[in-house]
Amino acid sequence: TTKFDGERYEVGLLWKNAKSHLPNNCSSAVSQLKSLARRLEKDEKLKQSYQETNFVDVQRRLMRILDADELENTRTDLQWYVPHLPVLNSNKPDKKRQMCNANSTFGGVLLNDNLMAGPDRLQSLIGIIFRFREKQISVTAGSKQSFSK
């Protein structure tokens, strides 16, 4: 299913089987959230940084806070709660990013096992190295948070 909200398109997940059944993993997601909360309580700097990351993601409309009515209205829908956690990079100690763990299992079920895989967009490292050496001058660039949307 594809919907346009007036600003951007929203595309539903591509299921391998239209009649996929996922167990309700809410208890597991809440348990992982409580574990994350305990971890953040032990490290005030990480907690502050992670809260800022979440705030920016809400502002950028990458995630949103659901109200009680939305939760109640979707109770009978097929749903899977994806836990999140901070990812730290030792080369960038002041930068924290949020990772959604779609590889989280519950009751022997893995969300990714029920979804179709997309095409492999990664290029061969050997090919990249060879092309990089073709010319006398090479240029590289990065795209800030290009994969978040």
Side-chain angles (χ1 to χ4, degrees), residues 29-111:
V30 168
S31 174
Q32 291 178 61
L33 181 62
K34 287 178 181 177
S35 175
L36 173 61
R38 285 191 301 272
R39 177 180 170 197
L40 294 176
E41 287 301 321
K42 294 177 185 174
D43 187 341
E44 190 59 38
K45 188 175 179 182
L46 176 61
K47 179 181 178 180
Q48 181 66 30
S49 177
Y50 198 58
Q51 286 174 335
E52 289 170 8
T53 300
N54 287 332
F55 180 73
V56 168
D57 285 352
V58 168
Q59 283 184 319
R60 292 180 61 213
R61 295 183 56 211
L62 300 176
M63 67 180 193
R64 63 190 176 92
I65 300 168
L66 300 177
D67 61 35
D69 289 339
E70 285 179 290
L71 288 173
E72 186 60 37
N73 291 338
T74 60
R75 188 171 302 280
T76 59
D77 294 349
L78 179 65
Q79 50 189 291
W80 183 267
Y81 297 90
V82 180
H84 58 86
L85 59 145
V87 176
L88 312 172
N89 183 337
S90 59
N91 295 326
K92 302 175 188 176
D94 293 334
K95 178 142 174 110
K96 312 298 185 275
R97 67 181 180 85
Q98 184 182 83
M99 182 191 84
C100 293
N101 185 8
N103 254 352
S104 177
T105 60
F106 179 74
V109 177
L110 181 67
L111 175 64

Side-chain angles (χ1 to χ4, degrees), residues 7-27:
E7 188 174 327
R8 63 176 73 175
Y9 285 94
E10 181 180 309
V11 179
L13 298 173
L14 301 174
W15 298 95
K16 285 181 181 176
N17 180 354
K19 298 194 186 288
S20 290
H21 174 72
L22 299 175
N24 187 338
N25 72 328
C26 184
S27 61

